[in-house]
Amino acid sequence: NFSKVFLIKYTNIQKKIEQLEIENKTFDISESLKKSKEDIKTRRDTIKIEQLQNLQIKINKKMEEINNYIYEGKKKPPILILSGNQYTFYTMDDTGTGSSYKSMIVYDLSILEMTQLPILIHDSVILKQISDIAIEKILLKYKSTKKQIFISLDKISSYSEISKAILKDEEVKVLELSINGNELFGRSWNDRE
């Protein structure tokens, strides 16, 4: 008994209600997803901070252990601070070149011992800035590891007797270069013929 106009109007209103219900449901889902995304991001950031702090603690503890071995507990160890996407690396109260290089070696040895890293390479530029006593302890530390460590040193004669003995030990020495035919390819490339 309803008029056609009434039925059309009723159908249009019903469609509008259904459309609004779908929009409301979509909005609720969208808001829920936004909140979940924010929650996940907050959890991720919290976990990242916790992991960085744990890593920082482990590395600093290992660096202190190695530094105490090298300097018999008499020198301050390097400190690593990890925060977000930045880091700070220093030795408190000591900004000298020798201390910076020593800190880098202590850090490298710490990472070598704490990870699956198979090799370590240190050049003479780094090692020559460090005191002879510390070099001796560093060489002993190198020798005690089961992993491969490659170093280059100039003027072995300037080091302690223990250091010289380690460096000349045929079990650890792979290559020794010198003048007069002991260059890498048997001759110096910059000699005039």
Side-chain angles (χ1 to χ4, degrees):
N1 292 337
F2 294 111
S3 72
K4 190 173 185 178
V5 172
F6 176 78
L7 288 175
I8 291 172
K9 194 165 189 142
Y10 175 81
T11 304
N12 288 339
I13 291 173
Q14 185 65 30
K15 285 181 182 180
K16 183 69 174 168
I17 289 172
E18 288 173 5
Q19 181 183 354
L20 290 171
E21 285 177 344
I22 290 171
E23 287 175 6
N24 281 340
K25 188 175 181 179
T26 303
F27 176 80
D28 290 343
I29 290 171
S30 174
E31 288 301 305
S32 174
L33 290 173
K34 283 180 189 176
K35 184 168 178 9
S36 291
K37 181 181 176 182
E38 289 171 12
D39 291 346
I40 289 169
K41 184 179 182 295
T42 301
R43 274 197 347 244
R44 182 202 65 202
D45 292 345
T46 301
I47 290 169
K48 181 179 177 181
I49 289 168
E50 288 173 2
Q51 291 300 319
L52 284 174
Q53 287 173 346
N54 288 338
L55 187 59
Q56 175 183 307
I57 289 167
K58 287 177 182 178
I59 291 171
N60 284 329
K61 184 177 177 184
K62 182 55 88 172
M63 285 194 306
E64 183 173 12
E65 175 188 314
I66 291 171
N67 192 77
N68 286 342
Y69 169 78
I70 293 170
Y71 292 102
E72 298 174 348
K74 295 176 185 172
K75 300 272 185 186
K76 293 178 182 176
I79 297 169
L80 176 66
I81 298 171
L82 302 171
S83 59
N85 295 328
Q86 299 177 355
Y87 72 91
T88 306
F89 185 68
Y90 66 97
T91 299
M92 192 176 301
D93 301 324
D94 192 349
T95 58
T97 304
S99 180
S100 296
Y101 286 133
K102 174 271 303 184
S103 296
M104 186 171 66
I105 288 172
V106 168
Y107 173 79
D108 289 348
L109 284 168
S110 298
I111 298 303
L112 184 71
E113 287 187 14
M114 295 173 62
T115 66
Q116 296 298 316
L117 190 69
I119 65 168
L120 180 64
I121 301 171
H122 284 148
D123 191 17
S124 61
V125 173
I126 298 167
L127 296 166
K128 75 168 92 173
Q129 301 295 327
I130 299 170
S131 71
D132 290 347
I133 302 289
I135 286 291
E136 186 176 297
K137 291 290 201 147
I138 291 168
L139 291 174
L140 288 167
K141 190 74 172 161
Y142 287 162
K143 191 173 177 182
S144 71
T145 185
K146 302 285 186 233
K147 297 181 180 182
Q148 285 189 315
I149 298 177
F150 299 93
I151 64 169
S152 67
L153 284 173
D154 299 326
K155 301 179 183 173
I156 293 174
S157 61
S158 66
Y159 294 106
S160 72
E161 293 304 317
I162 293 173
S163 295
K164 287 180 204 174
I166 293 169
L167 294 168
K168 291 189 179 285
D169 183 350
E170 294 298 326
E171 289 184 24
V172 295
K173 178 179 74 171
V174 174
L175 179 64
E176 182 176 353
L177 302 176
S178 63
I179 59 172
N180 299 324
N182 290 324
E183 293 87 358
L184 185 57
F185 295 100
R187 68 178 183 87
S188 179
W189 291 96
N190 65 350
D191 286 348
R192 291 184 182 192
E193 295 186 32

